Amino acid sequence: MARSDYLFTSESVSEGHPDKICDRISDAIVDAFLTADPHARVACETLVTTNRIVLAGEVRGPETISAKVMENIARECVKNIGYEQEGFHWQRAAVEVFVHEQSADIAKGVDAAGNKDEGAGDQGIMFGYACRETDALMPAPIYFSHAILRSLAEARHSGAEPGLGPDAKTQVTLRYEHGKPVAAKSVVLSTQHDDSLDQDEVREIVRPHVVNVLPDGWMCPDDEFYVNPTGRFVVGGPDGDAGLTGRKIIVDTYGGAAPHGGGAFSGKDPTKVDRSAAYAARYLAKNVVASGLAERCTIQLSYAIGVSKPLSLYVETHGTGQVPEARLESAIGELMDLSPRGIRQHLNLSRPIYARTAAYGHFGREPEPDGGFSWERLDLVEDIRSAVNGA
């Protein structure tokens, strides 16, 4: 039997966290290639450390996206995030690019040819999840963790809080009663700041960003509100800690409230099922929950390299479903082509919409007019209800 009263914690990190800088650069490289050629293939990894940025990976696309172009993209990303510090500066950092052509062996197994449809770019398992804890159908701890940091970033970028630096992270612990979140037990927030600010000053700067994000009456007790617990956070970003693409997959997804397949999203074009199938699984799970057929829904997909159709489709509604899971599996398997090509076409993923996903979560965002976050649409709700009722 599932527990009904418990504490659950999730964390988020800001766009200026070293790992998130890497995700942003890698996804901006993906966007550049897709802008030049919607059929480009990209797998780009980034490393950052003190005044150094290193790009590596495999691509197949226009030669116009040269090493110099990629260097300029990396610098622009760092500039937009806000790094003009002695230990990490968008102009002064050394940038090295080790990006080469994609393996012909991989291309042969993945590309469509003759009667063979486009295959998955790798084997793997992907998960999607949705629940009714928030209006975005996301788990509450990760949703509020993201929202706090987005609020701080907006204040920093607008100039409202000039004393804050780009590097920050937060951790929200919520108290659940009868299986529903009711209040914050504790909030931890660490943010890079100007040398002139002391811990108490930083605490009061960030407090309203926590209070205003959490629902009324949810703020934790003052002795459970931890701001820069070490007392000082002046040196941060890549000068304080190296960063790599793809190290924050729990932050990117559901904060640990649901399974994750293990494959990172950033730096990968949408033919890679690590990214596109995880988006499809979220899309389907969200539409199942929005349809009223379950309060919670987890969906798993699995693939083999070079094979177009998923090897398995699994639906779990955690005892909250209104219909048998097998009926949902049958219905959604008919409603959406879950091959790499089918997912890409259904969600219109072959567009430069990825740099914006690199911070504050890939899920629980609003669909955008240009097709960004298309996997958050709720356009399958009626189709799912009809398919299940007709099954």
Side-chain angles (χ1 to χ4, degrees), residues 218-231:
W218 278 38
M219 183 61 180
C220 64
D222 210 52
D223 62 352
E224 294 277 1
F225 181 38
Y226 304 96
V227 177
N228 285 0
T230 64

Side-chain angles (χ1 to χ4, degrees), residues 89-377:
H89 195 291
W90 67 274
Q91 281 182 310
R92 295 197 296 269
V95 180
E96 299 174 89
V97 179
F98 303 102
V99 175
H100 59 81
E101 286 291 315
Q102 182 190 53
S103 161
D105 290 344
I106 292 177
K108 181 179 179 181
V110 172
D111 289 349
N115 295 323
K116 174 184 174 294
D117 194 9
E118 177 185 293
D122 201 353
Q123 71 177 48
I125 56 174
M126 297 83 205
F127 288 92
Y129 180 73
C131 65
R132 290 204 168 274
E133 292 182 13
T134 62
D135 290 342
L137 303 185
M138 284 289 287
I142 188 67
Y143 181 80
F144 293 127
S145 293
H146 287 323
I148 290 167
L149 289 183
R150 291 188 76 176
S151 179
L152 284 172
E154 288 165 4
R156 179 175 61 84
H157 283 298
S158 71
E161 297 295 352
L164 298 181
D167 192 0
K169 59 197 311 185
T170 191
Q171 183 173 283
V172 175
T173 299
L174 296 185
R175 188 172 76 252
Y176 284 70
E177 295 180 357
H178 307 295
K180 299 184 182 301
V182 297
K185 163 67 166 57
S186 65
V187 175
V188 182
L189 201 159
S190 297
T191 180
Q192 192 179 17
H193 59 86
D194 189 86
D195 194 25
S196 64
L197 297 174
D198 63 28
Q199 186 180 24
D200 290 338
E201 289 172 313
V202 174
R203 182 185 183 89
E204 294 315 308
I205 287 171
V206 304
R207 183 190 297 273
H209 295 277
V210 179
V211 173
N212 293 338
V213 161
L214 293 174
D216 289 344
W218 278 38
M219 183 61 180
C220 64
D222 210 52
D223 62 352
E224 294 277 1
F225 181 38
Y226 304 96
V227 177
N228 285 0
T230 64
R232 178 180 171 85
F233 188 6
V234 174
V235 176
D239 191 28
D241 189 14
L244 292 169
T245 300
R247 285 207 301 194
K248 290 291 180 285
I249 56 177
I250 297 301
V251 170
D252 287 341
T253 55
Y254 308 101
H260 189 286
F265 305 154
S266 290
K268 298 174 182 176
D269 73 77
T271 68
K272 276 70 171 177
V273 285
D274 277 343
R275 175 166 233 157
S276 56
Y279 290 172
R282 160 64 179 175
Y283 171 67
L284 292 170
K286 185 177 183 181
N287 276 269
V288 167
V289 171
S291 73
L293 294 172
E295 293 289 305
R296 296 170 57 204
C297 182
T298 299
I299 292 179
Q300 184 203 58
L301 298 168
S302 70
Y303 293 84
I305 188 167
V307 179
S308 62
K309 296 296 184 182
L311 304 183
S312 64
L313 164 61
Y314 168 78
V315 176
E316 171 61 60
T317 56
H318 309 279
T320 70
Q322 301 300 306
V323 297
E325 281 98 342
R327 192 185 301 178
L328 282 170
E329 290 168 356
S330 176
I332 64 179
E334 291 296 323
L335 287 172
M336 185 175 179
D337 178 357
L338 292 169
S339 69
R341 184 198 301 274
I343 292 170
R344 198 168 67 254
Q345 291 177 343
H346 190 105
L347 297 177
N348 208 356
L349 297 179
S350 297
R351 291 179 291 176
I353 55 173
Y354 298 106
R356 70 192 75 171
T357 69
Y360 314 118
H362 292 243
F363 307 128
R365 311 282 285 272
E366 287 294 322
E368 296 180 347
D370 68 347
F373 302 103
S374 60
W375 49 92
E376 293 296 314
R377 299 188 319 235

